[in-house]
Amino acid sequence: MTQTDVTILAIESSCDETSVAVVKNGNAVLSNVVASQIKSHMRFGGVVPEVASRHHVEQITQIVEAALNEAQVTFDAIDAVAVTHGPGLVGSLLIGVSAAKALAFAHQKPLIPVNHMAGHIYANQLVTPMRYPLLSLVVSGGHSELVYMEKDGSFDIIGETRDDAAGEAYDKIGRILGLPYPGGKKMDEMAHEGKETMHFPRAMIKEDNYDFSFSGLKSSVINTVHNARQKGDDINPYDLAASFQASVVEVLVHKTLRAAKEKNIKQLLLAGGVAANRGLREALSAKMALELPEVEVVIPPLSLCGDNAAMIGAAAYTEYQQKHFAGYDLNAHPGLVLGE
């Protein structure tokens, strides 16, 4: 290993995945172990914070060991320990932060705090080098944001959701249709089997900003379903999913394309759990190829769209270079804003 090589052990526990990864130089994944809790939360129709925290407690030490074994390294080869310290569920975050502090202290390694949303963006660095200036569309269960990055480590949120995030809307509509949690993936599959037979609102699509709003769309879909049920009418769930997805994707793609044109970027990144949505991936790629073919579109593989520690290790490499280390008083910040 040369002096320029930096190997980071990264921990992610912001919600319902316990993940530990070993990442070298911010772009090479030596291991990325993810323990999902979906089956535990499925019967509740959503993530139960206390249940999530208990699972993290049970799994964290085993996942750390598994990640080191998979990477075939010991702590002697680790240069720093990174951890998600926000945003997320406070109880879940605390498990990861506590584990990272203990490991950093025990092995005398620098401790690197990482913003969860920065991790999603930097997951793309595991695909290809990031070229600036760039724009990232971050879409997940709790966030819908357009982030402009003029240089490595700088984040300018130029647009964000004012109410429900895209992923949140997907899960809520999925629940109305009786789909198991999480409903987003199944909704996407159904959308490709149905047709857009219903027109739902494209909220804020013509407004002179880059903000998003999906609460009105969610309400419109729910009202459509309730009205049909009260009248005894049948609604094709596949057509409903297709119609709902058409609205979400059109708004996301339209605003992203407009921002990309205004900012004169070199790269467009897709990030977050909803980046796994096939409809969004296809529409964004097609529209960019048609109207901004000179801009490179980077979309992470499905394995890097959901919460995982490899993305935290990628983001932590930039923090390591800038010596943004934390003390042992590091705490969880559930409401942490990107760029803070």
Side-chain angles (χ1 to χ4, degrees):
M1 183 175 291
T2 65
Q3 286 186 335
T4 56
D5 283 333
V6 176
T7 303
I8 295 174
L9 178 86
I11 297 174
E12 156 61 29
S13 68
S14 64
C15 191
D16 60 338
E17 274 92 16
T18 311
S19 182
V20 180
V22 178
V23 180
K24 186 167 78 172
N25 298 335
N27 57 19
V29 181
L30 305 186
S31 67
N32 186 27
V33 181
V34 182
S36 176
Q37 304 175 10
I38 285 180
K39 290 184 178 179
S40 294
H41 298 284
M42 194 177 288
R43 65 183 183 272
F44 301 111
V47 177
V48 179
E50 177 64 21
V51 173
S53 300
R54 289 177 180 271
H55 276 292
H56 289 308
V57 170
E58 294 168 358
Q59 296 172 332
I60 188 68
T61 55
Q62 300 172 52
I63 304 302
V64 169
E65 185 176 354
L68 290 170
N69 288 339
E70 185 177 310
Q72 296 185 329
V73 299
T74 66
F75 260 99
D76 291 338
I78 300 297
D79 295 294
V81 177
V83 64
T84 301
H85 71 127
L89 301 175
V90 64
S92 294
L93 289 167
L94 280 169
I95 307 306
V97 169
S98 298
K101 289 195 292 186
L103 291 169
F105 176 77
H107 298 279
Q108 291 299 291
K109 306 293 183 181
L111 178 64
I112 305 173
V114 176
N115 185 298
H116 178 75
M117 305 316 297
H120 276 304
I121 293 172
Y122 274 87
N124 288 279
Q125 187 169 269
L126 301 171
V127 178
T128 190
M130 290 162 66
R131 298 189 295 123
Y132 305 93
L134 62 78
L135 183 70
S136 181
L137 172 61
V138 185
V139 274
S140 66
H143 297 81
S144 296
E145 298 173 342
L146 275 170
V147 183
Y148 175 71
M149 296 180 66
E150 190 173 12
K151 60 182 180 180
D152 194 17
S154 77
F155 305 96
D156 180 14
I157 301 175
I158 62 173
E160 59 189 331
T161 185
R162 295 189 179 182
D163 38 61
D164 284 6
E168 187 178 1
Y170 267 96
D171 287 339
K172 288 180 178 177
I173 300 304
R175 194 177 301 138
I176 291 295
L177 293 178
L179 302 179
Y181 171 84
K185 180 181 179 181
K186 184 61 178 177
M187 286 277 291
D188 183 29
E189 294 171 356
M190 292 171 64
H192 282 82
E193 296 183 39
K195 297 179 180 179
E196 187 186 356
T197 59
M198 294 159 262
H199 182 80
F200 293 119
R202 271 66 168 162
M204 300 179 66
I205 196 168
K206 295 182 179 180
E207 292 193 19
D208 189 24
N209 57 51
Y210 299 122
D211 288 346
F212 304 103
S213 171
F214 296 107
S215 181
L217 168 62
K218 175 199 67 180
S219 297
S220 179
V221 175
I222 291 173
N223 288 339
T224 298
V225 173
H226 285 171
N227 287 340
R229 287 173 178 171
Q230 288 171 354
K231 295 176 182 177
D233 296 337
D234 290 329
I235 284 187
N236 186 317
Y238 295 90
D239 291 347
L240 183 78
S243 302
F244 166 77
Q245 179 150 297
S247 175
V248 173
V249 169
E250 184 177 341
V251 171
L252 290 173
V253 171
H254 177 84
K255 293 219 167 188
T256 300
L257 184 67
R258 188 157 58 83
K261 289 178 178 178
E262 181 181 303
K263 292 296 184 179
N264 193 27
I265 58 172
K266 294 180 180 179
Q267 265 185 344
L268 173 67
L269 314 180
L270 187 57
V274 183
N277 183 282
R278 177 182 158 197
L280 177 58
R281 294 164 79 96
E282 292 176 350
L284 189 61
S285 297
K287 200 71 172 177
M288 288 294 293
L290 182 66
E291 299 197 31
L292 287 176
E294 71 279 7
V295 175
E296 181 185 16
V297 178
V298 185
I299 300 176
L302 299 183
S303 61
L304 294 175
C305 291
D307 293 349
N308 67 91
M311 69 184 196
I312 303 304
Y317 180 67
T318 293
E319 302 298 316
Y320 183 93
Q321 290 179 310
Q322 298 175 0
K323 299 190 184 303
H324 290 167
F325 303 138
Y328 297 126
D329 60 345
L330 179 67
N331 205 348
H333 293 278
L336 187 65
V337 176
L338 190 60
E340 284 187 349

